[in-house]
Amino acid sequence: MLNFNPRDIEKIDDDALRIVWEDGHRSEYSFRYLRQNCPCAACRDEWSGQSLLDAEGVARDLKASRAEMVGNYALCFAFSDGHATGIFSFEVLRKLCPCAECGPHPGSRFN
Ligand SMILES: [Zn+2]
Ligand SMILES: [Zn+2]
């Protein structure tokens, strides 16, 4: 059973975020990677789960200007490309963890 409760959420760089989960697992995401995996209806087909986004078209130096808690179950990011409708539940974030142990996911190489 994966743990979906974050113990610590930290912006580690202009373009990266780290979440330490209650079970001690650490996830590091580039904002570009999060943007590429944005779960909102404009980026992902709600029925098929297919990405509607051109992942390679996302700027390499994408940043997040803002990160906000949504209730106590999700984070919402305002990305530097102006996109701010993605609500990333902690369950989604944990499943997106790009580390070697959790991967592979499409585009999950942390760079
Ligand atoms: Zn989106
Ligand atoms: Zn992981």
Side-chain angles (χ1 to χ4, degrees):
M1 239 318 249
L2 288 177
N3 183 298
F4 303 133
N5 296 314
R7 187 200 296 162
D8 192 41
I9 303 169
E10 191 186 355
K11 199 174 163 191
I12 48 174
D13 215 328
D14 264 3
D15 58 2
L17 180 83
R18 177 167 58 216
I19 298 178
V20 181
W21 304 93
E22 266 178 6
D23 62 6
H25 193 75
R26 285 163 178 266
S27 304
E28 290 188 7
Y29 314 87
S30 70
F31 287 119
R32 180 175 197 251
Y33 171 69
L34 292 174
R35 177 69 186 87
Q36 287 172 325
N37 288 280
C38 178
C40 87
C43 297
R44 195 161 291 272
D45 188 285
E46 287 185 58
W47 294 105
S48 66
Q50 282 256 308
S51 178
L52 305 173
L53 190 77
D54 171 17
E56 286 310 306
V58 176
R60 296 217 158 260
D61 60 349
L62 193 91
K63 298 176 174 57
S65 53
R66 195 158 45 82
E68 269 174 21
M69 286 288 285
V70 180
N72 56 4
Y73 73 97
L75 286 174
C76 178
F77 303 104
F79 294 107
S80 56
D81 63 356
H83 193 70
T85 47
I87 292 176
F88 294 75
S89 70
F90 291 120
E91 180 174 350
V92 163
L93 285 166
R94 179 72 197 247
K95 287 179 177 164
L96 280 175
C97 177
C99 82
E101 198 182 313
C102 300
H105 306 292
S108 68
R109 205 153 24 95
F110 184 70
N111 53 22

